[in-house]
Amino acid sequence: CENPHELMRAHEVFDILDVAKLILHACIARKSSSAPLFFQRSDYPQMDPEEDKRIITIRQENGKIIEGSVPLGYFGNLKEEYEKRNQEYIEEVARREEN
């Protein structure tokens, strides 16, 4: 790169390529088609079987992609869990609304 602008654009391209690689691995990890995800595989045409109703997790560590999965309801009640972990933000929003 000949200047900071080109360097920033090069970093953006590498980031896009990394994300595309992760998306591709997530698509390969899902072994069925899914109507809610608008995802259809010709090699796995069965739609939304029970064993595949899960969230696929993908992360990259030291250049290696690691796949995993968790059940759909693994986090519990979304409203309760959000409120439990975000009290500072909820209080800040309430103060702003009072003013």
Side-chain angles (χ1 to χ4, degrees):
C1 298
E2 295 183 9
N3 59 55
H5 181 77
E6 289 179 3
L7 179 61
M8 182 178 74
R9 295 293 173 237
H11 280 289
E12 288 175 350
V13 169
F14 285 125
D15 182 54
I16 290 168
L17 290 172
D18 283 342
V19 170
K21 187 170 30 170
L22 292 170
I23 290 170
L24 179 63
H25 279 271
C27 290
I28 292 169
R30 185 164 296 282
K31 303 294 186 207
S32 68
S33 297
S34 176
L37 296 175
F38 299 101
F39 182 74
Q40 188 164 1
R41 289 188 58 164
S42 59
D43 54 344
Y44 293 101
Q46 186 180 7
M47 283 286 185
D48 302 311
E50 285 301 315
E51 66 272 6
D52 209 22
K53 290 186 179 177
R54 59 195 169 93
I55 296 172
I56 293 174
T57 61
I58 302 286
R59 69 182 189 277
Q60 185 170 320
E61 289 183 7
N62 302 320
K64 183 178 179 190
I65 295 177
I66 300 169
E67 299 172 3
S69 70
V70 293
L72 289 178
Y74 82 103
F75 196 71
N77 182 294
L78 187 58
K79 184 177 187 314
E80 289 175 12
E81 296 298 327
Y82 179 83
E83 290 173 350
K84 188 180 348 178
R85 290 169 170 75
N86 293 286
Q87 280 303 309
E88 289 180 20
Y89 177 73
I90 292 169
E91 291 166 5
E92 180 183 328
V93 170
R95 280 192 301 273
R96 281 191 220 156
E97 290 175 353
E98 289 174 358
N99 296 331

